Amino acid sequence: MKYLNTLESTQADYHRMHSQLMMLIKKFLLMLMLWRRNYVTRRTLDGVSDHLLKDIGLTPNEAKAEARKSFWE
């Protein structure tokens, strides 16, 4: 009986650690996706004409400032 309790406890610990690891992996992947989106968006914004910037409510200086930011900001 003691062996069974130990086995159940070990399995529960394993499942808990597995769940925590999966959550960390998910958070990491979401962060990578956000960084990628920031990178692509800022590179695209850097090439937008003044006319289109005005349409989206940004000045050329604001767009340049945003494009200069690092992907993690």
Side-chain angles (χ1 to χ4, degrees):
M1 189 69 169
K2 185 176 182 179
Y3 172 76
L4 186 57
N5 289 338
T6 302
L7 180 60
E8 288 172 355
S9 176
T10 302
Q11 287 176 336
D13 289 343
Y14 169 79
H15 289 294
R16 183 178 41 77
M17 289 188 314
H18 182 263
S19 294
Q20 290 173 344
L21 178 61
M22 294 307 292
M23 191 62 125
L24 283 173
I25 291 171
K26 182 179 178 180
K27 285 181 180 183
F28 178 72
L29 291 174
L30 288 172
M31 187 171 42
L32 286 178
M33 290 170 57
L34 174 63
W35 286 353
R36 171 80 176 142
R37 187 186 71 193
N38 287 349
Y39 174 80
V40 170
T41 302
R42 288 175 178 154
R43 295 296 74 79
T44 302
L45 187 60
D46 196 30
V48 173
S49 70
D50 291 351
H51 173 73
L52 291 176
L53 288 173
K54 185 177 179 182
D55 285 350
I56 62 173
L58 290 175
T59 67
N61 288 337
E62 290 171 330
K64 286 177 187 166
E66 186 66 28
R68 281 193 301 264
K69 288 183 181 179
S70 301
F71 64 88
W72 60 83
E73 293 183 72

